[in-house]
Amino acid sequence: MIKKEVVNQLVEEWLSGKDYFLVDVTISPDDRIVVEIDHAEGVWIEDCVELSRFIEDHLNRDEEDYELEVGSAGIGQPFKVIQQYINHIGKEVEVLAADGTKYKGILKEATDEHFTLTVTKKVKVEGKKRPVMQEEDLTWAYNEVKYTKYLISFK
């Protein structure tokens, strides 16, 4: 079986000096290798082909047969690495908190320890007849949410 560390090392070598970053590498028991990369401005198919060829040039099919798929992290898919959070600052995302509550808002900040979402909600203000819309910042550690994903908008 092909080792994940070997594929990770090859991908990191190819990524060196490029603005791309590694999102995930998975290898199934039957040696199906899936490499996900991302870039702040999107992933070009030509770069996926180049990375795929680079990996194939460094793995020996005579020793181990494998299937290789190289692609982007996928729009609308849950974030897997902090760099994805950083790339989506200022954009609308959906967060599913560990308690099962869903939040939609603007990703305000992402650090190594946590991220902050600005949500807008109706709040009853004393002395007013109707609730007013107010912004509130919610902060979570990455392990306190089930997922965070970019919300695609066609507005």
Side-chain angles (χ1 to χ4, degrees):
M1 183 167 164
I2 296 170
K3 296 197 181 307
K4 185 174 181 175
E5 298 80 33
V6 171
V7 177
N8 276 340
Q9 185 176 356
L10 290 171
V11 174
E12 291 296 343
E13 185 179 329
W14 183 84
L15 292 172
S16 179
K18 296 178 176 69
D19 289 334
Y20 282 97
F21 59 93
L22 178 61
V23 173
D24 197 17
V25 171
T26 56
I27 302 176
S28 68
D30 61 345
D31 281 338
R32 180 172 186 268
I33 304 167
V34 179
V35 177
E36 293 178 73
I37 59 172
D38 208 348
H39 187 283
E41 296 171 11
V43 175
W44 297 95
I45 188 71
E46 295 84 2
D47 292 325
C48 291
V49 169
E50 185 182 317
L51 174 56
S52 180
R53 288 187 180 142
F54 181 84
I55 294 169
E56 287 175 347
D57 287 347
H58 290 81
L59 294 178
N60 188 345
R61 281 198 190 268
D62 294 334
E63 289 178 17
E64 195 110 34
D65 190 30
Y66 61 88
E67 178 184 344
L68 176 62
E69 178 184 324
V70 175
S72 68
I75 197 160
Q77 295 298 311
F79 298 164
K80 296 179 180 176
V81 296
I82 294 172
Q83 188 62 46
Q84 290 176 295
Y85 285 84
I86 293 168
N87 288 353
H88 287 87
I89 290 175
K91 297 182 179 151
E92 188 174 22
V93 298
E94 177 181 275
V95 174
L96 179 60
D99 67 2
T101 307
K102 273 188 186 177
Y103 298 90
K104 291 181 184 179
I106 304 299
L107 189 57
K108 180 178 182 177
E109 174 190 44
T111 69
D112 288 343
E113 295 81 32
H114 65 271
F115 69 97
T116 302
L117 184 73
T118 301
V119 296
T120 303
K121 62 183 190 175
K122 289 182 181 178
V123 177
K124 178 73 175 136
V125 177
E126 193 176 317
K128 299 228 178 186
K129 289 184 180 180
R130 296 182 180 200
V132 297
M133 300 301 280
Q134 275 187 346
E135 289 186 348
E136 179 182 357
D137 287 346
L138 304 173
T139 300
W140 293 275
Y142 298 101
N143 64 354
E144 293 177 331
V145 299
K146 292 183 179 178
Y147 70 73
T148 302
K149 60 185 179 180
Y150 174 64
L151 283 176
I152 303 165
S153 175
F154 297 102
K155 293 179 184 177

